[in-house]
């Protein structure tokens, strides 16, 4: 009888076992994650979640579409944002095609749905992250979204525990308003270059694209003007409360401008005039009508000073200042102030603003001015900066000009949160976090709709703010809300949904070392993912 051959089962079982072990080690199922649960601020225009996740690992490479230095620079930017906390090398390389899996790919294309300059499309699959935009600025805005999709500890500048997983899906995004800004008053209290750079970083994280620097006022002149050196040597030598003040040399100002440009933020310099000019008048008495030299001023009153609007030397002064400032400012606007000129006769004020508007145009820039400038004859290219008098904003629109919205009772970040806030003022309102968010630009002033508004600006006046910690306390957590008001369509916003996303920013604020006000109106979520200290829980 034929000997029945036994089939060699053992080696087969061993082989299958090895195969199973091998594949399970290498084909770990990606963790299911929900992109829609991410706490993104500003809220993106459209988001589709696909339920899985991508894990960034040590061998990930950041590829950028080849052929552009700017793209390599933006690749380095995201690498520098992700390297410290992950400890990954994250090499940046040019690539002419979509790379193999496990990587990040940044590229430009005119195929994405939204053609606006800041629009971007973010596509995350289990195999990688693909960010596409029509212009490099869109890639920069999309990178902020990528960083916000990682856990808040990604913002730490020391090595953190992984894993670094983000949810899969697609985000198609673009801003509702083209001008989204904050203002820093460096005159009442001076802030050195490093502080301004930190402020620029914080604006960039929330996709803001302008920073207005209030460079001159009664208490201090903060920008070197080579043709009028006393403005800073004398006029920059003090501040509110009598401190040492300070100023930016033109090189330092250029450094601030470059730092902002690298983050696709335009600087808008303000020379406030004809009022708010005591520092200039104390530096050059010939700018006064009476030729007398006023003392330097370290108080906080307003409305007591004016340039002598019927002296020709004043217009030579203005022309020199605007000329030097325009040459240092690549952005489109120069802010000429124009607020609270209580001791300037109305007709003198009007002819002054009209002449200054021409001087700014002669130096190739557009005019922005606080809403009182609408008393003068505004060019349609000029911007009325609405802060207090709705009637002025309406006058500006009637003249064909557009409006920048900074209603003091909603957007002034120097307003106390409530009567217990140890910093700030409350002449306009107390502005808690909910109040700072629950409004919209297009329904603020009767007769001023979206087509008349360029965007939002949140000013921080610094009569009572002396350093970065105090600045951050007043700016956070209101700033992300202002950024969202400028970026996200009003119909997509509501406080009850927003406050949950804001509460989840706590880890991120802490990782960035932000000294934020922990309002009881926000359900703050710690890393333990528990809801703590929420008033309306
Ligand atoms: N109004 C003044 C600022 C500052 C502010 C403080 C404007 C345009 C009050 N002018 O706001 O100089 O003093 O909240």
């Amino acid at each position: 009888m034929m000997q029945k051959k036994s089939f060699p089962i053992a080696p087969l079982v061993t082989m299958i076992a090895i195969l199973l072990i091998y594949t399970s080690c290498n084909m770990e199922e990606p963790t299911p994650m929900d992109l829609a649960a991410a706490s993104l601020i500003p809220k993106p225009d459209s988001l589709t979640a696909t339920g899985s996740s991508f894990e960034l690992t040590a061998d990930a490479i950041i590829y950028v579409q080849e052929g552009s230095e700017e793209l390599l620079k933006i690749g380095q930017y995201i690498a520098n944002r992700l390297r410290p906390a992950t400890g990954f090398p994250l090499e940046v390389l040019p690539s002419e095609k979509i790379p193999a899996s496990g990587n990040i790919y940044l590229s430009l294309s005119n195929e994405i749905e939204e053609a606006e300059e800041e629009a971007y499309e973010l596509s995350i699959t289990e195999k990688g992250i693909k960010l596409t935009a029509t212009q490099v600025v869109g890639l920069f805005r999309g990178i902020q979204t990528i960083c916000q999709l990682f856990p808040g500890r990604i913002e730490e500048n020391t090595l953190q525990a992984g894993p670094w997983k983000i949810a899969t899906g697609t985000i198609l995004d673009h801003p509702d308003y083209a001008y989204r800004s904050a203002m820093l008053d460096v005159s009442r209290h001076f802030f050195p270059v490093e502080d301004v750079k930190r402020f620029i970083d914080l604006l960039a994280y929330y996709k803001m694209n302008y920073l207005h620097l209030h460079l001159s006022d009664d208490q201090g002149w903060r920008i070197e003007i080579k043709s009028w050196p006393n403005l800073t040597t004398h006029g920059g030598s003090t501040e509110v409360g009598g401190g040492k003040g300070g100023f930016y040399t033109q090189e330092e100002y250029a450094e601030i401008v470059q730092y902002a440009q690298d983050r696709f933020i335009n600087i808008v310099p303000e020379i406030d005039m004809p009022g708010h000019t005591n520092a200039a008048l104390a530096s050059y008495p010939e700018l006064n009508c009476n030729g007398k030299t006023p003392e330097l001023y370290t108080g906080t009153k307003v409305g007591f000073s004016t340039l002598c609007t019927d002296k020709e030397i004043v217009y030579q002064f203005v022309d020199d200042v605007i000329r030097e400032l325009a040459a240092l400012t690549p952005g489109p606007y120069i802010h000429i102030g124009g607020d609270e000129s209580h001791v300037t006769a109305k007709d003198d004020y009007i002819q002054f603003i009209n002449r200054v508007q021409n001087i700014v145009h002669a130096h190739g820039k557009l005019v922005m001015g606080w809403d009182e400038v609408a008393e003068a004859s505004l060019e349609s290219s000029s911007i009325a900066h609405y802060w207090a008098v709705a009637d002025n904003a309406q006058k500006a629109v009637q003249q064909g000009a557009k409006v920048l919205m900074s209603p003091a009772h909603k957007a002034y970040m120097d307003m106390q949160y409530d009567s217990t806030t140890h910093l700030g003022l409350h002449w306009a309102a107390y502005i808690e976090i909910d109040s700072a968010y629950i409004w919209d630009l297009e329904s603020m002033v009767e007769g001023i709709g979206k087509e008349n508004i360029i965007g939002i600006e949140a000013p921080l006046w610094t009569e009572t703010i002396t350093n970065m910690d105090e600045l951050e306390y007043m700016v956070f957590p209101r700033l992300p809300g202002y950024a969202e008001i400028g970026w996200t369509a009003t119909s997509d916003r509501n406080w009850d949904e927003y406050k949950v996303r804001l509460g989840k920013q706590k880890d991120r604020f802490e990782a960035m070392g932000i000294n934020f006000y922990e309002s009881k109106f926000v359900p703050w979520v710690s890393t333990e993912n528990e809801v703590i200290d929420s008033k309306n829980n």
Side-chain angles (χ1 to χ4, degrees):
M1 184 174 89
M2 279 282 287
Q3 176 69 21
K4 218 170 130 218
K5 277 182 72 182
S6 64
F7 190 79
I9 295 292
L12 185 65
V13 167
T14 316
M15 217 169 69
I16 290 170
I18 290 167
L19 201 62
L20 279 176
I21 292 164
Y22 176 74
T23 45
S24 67
C25 290
N26 288 281
M27 296 291 283
E28 184 185 309
E29 270 304 300
T31 317
M33 284 178 76
D34 179 8
L35 185 62
S39 57
L40 295 172
I41 298 179
K43 185 180 180 182
D45 184 57
S46 81
L47 180 149
T48 310
T50 51
S52 189
S53 62
F54 166 72
E55 181 171 0
L56 188 74
T57 60
D59 44 23
I61 291 174
I62 294 172
Y63 286 103
V64 299
Q65 180 186 26
E66 67 175 1
S68 135
E69 273 310 304
E70 254 206 312
L71 280 172
L72 280 171
K73 211 170 144 188
I74 206 104
Q76 283 303 343
Y77 174 84
I78 186 172
N80 293 332
R81 283 288 294 278
L82 301 177
R83 281 178 185 142
T86 60
F88 298 160
L90 293 174
E91 204 182 351
V92 179
L93 293 175
S95 165
E96 81 287 350
K97 62 184 188 334
I98 295 180
S101 67
N103 302 302
I104 295 175
Y105 183 53
L106 310 179
S107 68
L108 295 178
S109 151
N110 41 29
E111 258 100 63
I112 72 163
E113 248 174 82
E114 287 296 341
E116 277 163 301
E117 69 166 20
E118 293 182 271
Y120 66 88
E121 179 174 316
L122 176 58
S123 167
I124 306 161
T125 67
E126 293 169 352
K127 296 193 178 326
I129 299 174
K130 199 157 76 72
L131 178 62
T132 316
T134 41
Q135 300 195 25
V136 181
V137 57
L139 294 177
F140 186 84
R141 303 295 179 236
I143 286 170
Q144 311 313 319
T145 303
I146 293 173
C147 292
Q148 281 197 9
L149 288 172
F150 284 106
R153 62 181 186 278
I154 193 73
E155 300 299 349
E156 294 280 1
N157 45 31
T158 55
L159 192 61
Q160 303 297 311
W164 301 102
K165 297 180 181 179
I166 61 173
T168 56
T170 305
I171 289 175
L172 188 55
D173 201 6
H174 66 96
D176 202 28
Y177 285 94
Y179 189 107
R180 306 174 308 279
S181 168
M183 183 205 83
L184 181 56
D185 166 11
V186 295
S187 176
R188 276 46 183 274
H189 281 96
F190 181 65
F191 285 77
V193 173
E194 287 323 302
D195 286 352
V196 181
K197 285 181 174 178
R198 160 98 169 148
F199 194 44
I200 288 167
D201 276 331
L202 298 174
L203 298 182
Y205 291 168
Y206 292 96
K207 300 191 176 79
M208 284 190 152
N209 63 346
Y210 282 89
L211 170 59
H212 168 184
L213 289 176
H214 185 76
L215 291 166
S216 71
D217 209 301
D218 292 317
Q219 296 85 349
W221 187 285
R222 305 296 182 208
I223 176 69
E224 179 193 14
I225 300 294
K226 295 185 189 290
S227 48
W228 298 72
N230 273 3
L231 289 171
T232 41
T233 51
H234 184 59
S237 64
T238 187
E239 57 192 355
V240 167
K244 65 178 175 40
F247 64 91
Y248 309 116
T249 63
Q250 293 199 354
E251 293 68 33
E252 287 169 326
Y253 178 77
E255 192 183 329
I256 290 171
V257 167
Q258 188 55 58
Y259 194 84
Q261 293 285 104
D262 290 347
R263 288 148 185 82
F264 299 87
I265 290 177
N266 276 313
I267 295 293
V268 177
E270 177 185 351
I271 300 297
D272 202 345
M273 46 189 164
H276 286 274
T277 41
N278 187 75
L281 299 167
S283 307
Y284 290 99
E286 58 269 45
L287 300 174
N288 269 315
C289 283
N290 60 16
K292 289 201 182 105
T293 309
E295 292 301 312
L296 290 172
Y297 180 65
T298 60
T300 57
K301 287 202 313 273
V302 297
F304 60 87
S305 57
T306 182
L307 294 171
C308 190
T309 55
D310 52 16
K311 273 178 146 180
E312 272 316 301
I313 189 169
V314 161
Y315 298 95
Q316 182 56 57
F317 165 75
V318 171
D319 189 70
D320 289 339
V321 169
I322 299 298
R323 172 174 44 78
E324 291 193 35
L325 205 48
L328 294 163
T329 303
Y333 296 109
I334 286 191
H335 201 299
I336 62 170
D339 62 312
E340 299 179 317
S341 298
H342 299 326
V343 295
T344 317
K346 183 168 179 179
D347 290 349
D348 295 344
Y349 174 85
I350 289 171
Q351 65 87 21
F352 175 84
I353 295 296
N354 289 337
R355 278 188 74 172
V356 170
Q357 184 173 229
N358 293 335
I359 290 171
V360 171
H361 290 168
H363 293 291
K365 298 297 176 185
L366 301 177
V367 165
M368 202 175 265
W370 298 106
D371 61 48
E372 292 94 323
V373 297
E375 298 288 354
S377 313
L378 293 182
E379 301 285 339
S380 58
S381 63
S382 293
I383 304 295
H385 192 172
Y386 171 56
W387 67 286
V389 179
D391 190 41
N392 288 335
Q394 288 159 339
K395 270 189 196 147
V397 166
Q398 283 145 23
Q399 296 186 66
K402 289 193 185 250
V403 175
L404 173 59
M405 299 299 271
S406 295
H409 66 292
K410 282 291 184 184
Y412 270 28
M413 298 193 284
D414 63 316
M415 291 302 115
Q416 292 167 271
Y417 291 104
D418 61 30
S419 59
T420 68
T421 310
H422 64 291
L423 297 165
L425 308 170
H426 59 267
W427 66 269
Y430 290 115
I431 306 180
E432 249 292 354
I433 311 303
D434 53 349
S435 173
Y437 184 83
I438 303 171
W439 63 289
D440 56 75
L441 306 182
E442 52 275 5
S443 51
M444 188 46 61
V445 177
E446 178 69 32
I448 297 187
K450 195 153 188 275
E451 67 285 359
N452 310 114
I453 297 168
I454 63 166
I456 184 172
E457 179 170 298
L460 180 74
W461 298 103
T462 58
E463 281 92 339
T464 65
I465 311 298
T466 67
N467 61 43
M468 206 59 206
D469 259 3
E470 295 177 352
L471 178 154
E472 291 175 8
Y473 188 79
M474 299 306 275
V475 170
F476 280 84
R478 287 181 287 201
L479 184 98
Y482 295 128
E484 180 152 310
I485 289 172
W487 182 279
T488 306
T490 301
S491 54
D492 286 347
R493 294 194 299 106
N494 85 70
W495 165 250
D496 287 328
E497 185 275 332
Y498 169 74
K499 72 178 181 183
V500 173
R501 278 185 285 127
L502 181 60
K504 291 179 185 170
Q505 294 278 317
K506 178 177 162 70
D507 293 347
R508 204 164 294 280
F509 291 167
E510 287 171 349
M512 292 191 270
I514 296 173
N515 176 43
F516 69 101
Y517 161 62
E518 236 176 295
S519 164
K520 56 186 179 301
F521 288 81
V522 178
W524 298 107
V525 177
S526 74
T527 36
E528 287 71 39
N529 280 329
E530 48 164 334
V531 177
I532 51 172
D533 188 22
S534 151
K535 175 182 159 100
N536 305 325
N537 196 8

